[in-house]
Amino acid sequence: MNPNNGTHNSLGLWPRPLCFVMAGGGSYGATHVGMIRALVEAGITPDLVVGTSVGAFNGVRVSHDPKTAADALTSIWKQIDRRTVFGSNSRFGAVLHLARSGFGRRSVATCAPDHLGALIDSQNMPATIEELSIPTGIVVTDLLAGKPKVLRSGKLKQSLLASAAIPGVFPPVQLEGCWYVDGGVAANVPIRQAIAVGAKSMVILNCNPSGMPNRLPNNLVEMGMHASIIMQRNQIAGDMTELASRYPILQMPQTTPTDTNSFDFSRSSELIERSFDSSQQFLKDLPSLTDTTRRI
């Protein structure tokens, strides 16, 4: 924390460690960038970072160097499109990969993880989670146990691939004898997981839309996304109801429009700008946070 930051100076009185909780959300993750810039400019940096899926991808950049994270992520997100993540914009290509992968195998998926892996490699990050400057937890879902798990050590790239392994899109990732898929399956907004690894207070960076889409799904993909939004909203509502009376929690504003989808990367610059403007104003308008019993 910046002790000379006025309104946010009181956050220094919150129990430590203060954790940035980074939600999953695919292309919505561009919204994180505006939040991060506003927080860091306000003097708010974490002692711990816990992220799911794209939240883990963005979160490790914060863990690597909070001061340069927003600039680095802005550059990254302006280059990301569907091809750089999934490898092909062609539905035929996705179906062909699925056919080649073989039904009934663990590797059944519409996309190979090669392009996402190359994107991770291009960031010149440390080789392992424990080498990051700030302690970090990467949330994955144990495919056989059906439970979330927080990876706090091990190979960074493979852990990020596991956390982002959307079932049916990317293949599961095997680490130390266990098979993992996207952490968002079990804990898309990993509040409980942050507490489990030691967080005493939290800033929630939820990149997903705050409301439900205002139209019915038109296809299987949209139906899956719609169902996922319902599950995620119920999960965080339940967690907040139970935990907000016990831990200081600051929720950043959710500015992602409901007319976007989590596989559309064409609006990243817009999402970053919207989020920064809203987050900056939100932080300026915050009342004093010296009362640690208050929940924002």
Side-chain angles (χ1 to χ4, degrees):
M1 296 297 165
N2 179 352
N4 300 314
N5 195 56
T7 300
H8 308 298
N9 183 30
S10 56
L11 271 172
L13 301 176
W14 280 24
R16 314 302 289 215
L18 172 68
C19 180
F20 278 12
V21 179
M22 312 278 292
S27 64
Y28 300 154
T31 304
H32 284 147
V33 184
M35 297 180 190
I36 292 165
R37 185 179 297 281
L39 286 162
V40 173
E41 287 186 2
I44 304 171
T45 56
D47 308 305
L48 172 67
V49 175
V50 176
T52 292
S53 195
V54 72
F57 178 86
N58 291 334
V60 298
R61 176 56 67 173
V62 176
S63 299
H64 181 57
D65 185 353
K67 293 182 179 179
T68 64
D71 286 342
L73 287 170
T74 297
S75 178
I76 294 166
W77 277 93
K78 286 184 177 180
Q79 300 174 44
I80 292 177
D81 58 19
R82 189 173 296 183
R83 186 176 297 276
T84 60
V85 175
F86 302 112
S88 175
N89 288 315
S90 167
R91 290 186 180 182
F92 173 77
V95 172
L96 180 61
H97 179 79
L98 177 61
R100 286 175 174 171
S101 68
F103 292 98
R105 295 186 190 177
R106 295 187 183 98
S107 61
V108 170
T110 58
C111 300
D114 305 35
H115 286 74
L116 181 57
L119 179 62
I120 294 170
D121 285 337
S122 71
Q123 306 314 308
N124 298 315
M125 299 290 285
T128 63
I129 300 171
E130 53 267 42
E131 291 178 79
L132 293 165
S133 299
I134 295 173
T136 301
I138 295 176
V139 180
V140 295
T141 299
D142 187 317
L143 185 57
L144 297 182
K147 296 180 179 180
K149 181 176 180 179
V150 184
L151 305 178
R152 302 197 67 192
S153 63
K155 295 180 179 179
L156 180 60
K157 175 182 177 180
Q158 290 303 110
S159 298
L160 289 174
L161 288 174
S163 187
I166 305 168
V169 177
F170 292 118
V173 175
Q174 187 178 33
L175 296 172
E176 298 183 354
C178 294
W179 289 95
Y180 298 114
V181 294
D182 195 312
V185 173
N188 196 59
V189 185
I191 300 173
R192 293 180 185 275
Q193 289 66 41
I195 293 170
V197 298
K200 300 302 182 183
S201 56
M202 288 163 278
V203 177
I204 309 298
L205 289 80
N206 188 349
C207 57
N208 296 278
S210 61
M212 292 293 300
N214 56 7
R215 61 180 179 82
L216 292 174
N218 290 320
N219 53 55
L220 287 175
V221 172
E222 289 187 2
M223 180 61 78
M225 290 171 57
H226 195 93
S228 177
I229 292 171
I230 293 172
M231 289 187 291
Q232 292 167 16
R233 286 167 61 84
N234 287 336
Q235 176 232 324
I236 190 171
D239 288 349
M240 288 297 296
T241 298
E242 178 181 347
L243 300 172
S245 62
R246 295 159 47 195
Y247 296 89
I249 298 175
L250 178 69
Q251 293 191 76
M252 297 301 291
Q254 294 170 246
T255 59
T256 303
T258 58
D259 65 347
T260 60
N261 74 69
S262 59
F263 292 98
D264 179 8
F265 295 87
S266 67
R267 298 174 66 177
S268 293
S269 293
E270 174 196 344
L271 295 182
I272 292 171
E273 184 176 349
R274 286 170 60 106
S275 178
F276 173 70
D277 290 344
S278 180
S279 296
Q280 187 180 52
Q281 190 61 52
F282 172 75
L283 292 171
K284 286 180 179 177
D285 292 343
L286 276 180
S288 173
L289 302 177
T290 54
D291 178 5
T292 59
T293 64
R294 174 185 287 177
R295 305 300 178 263
I296 302 302

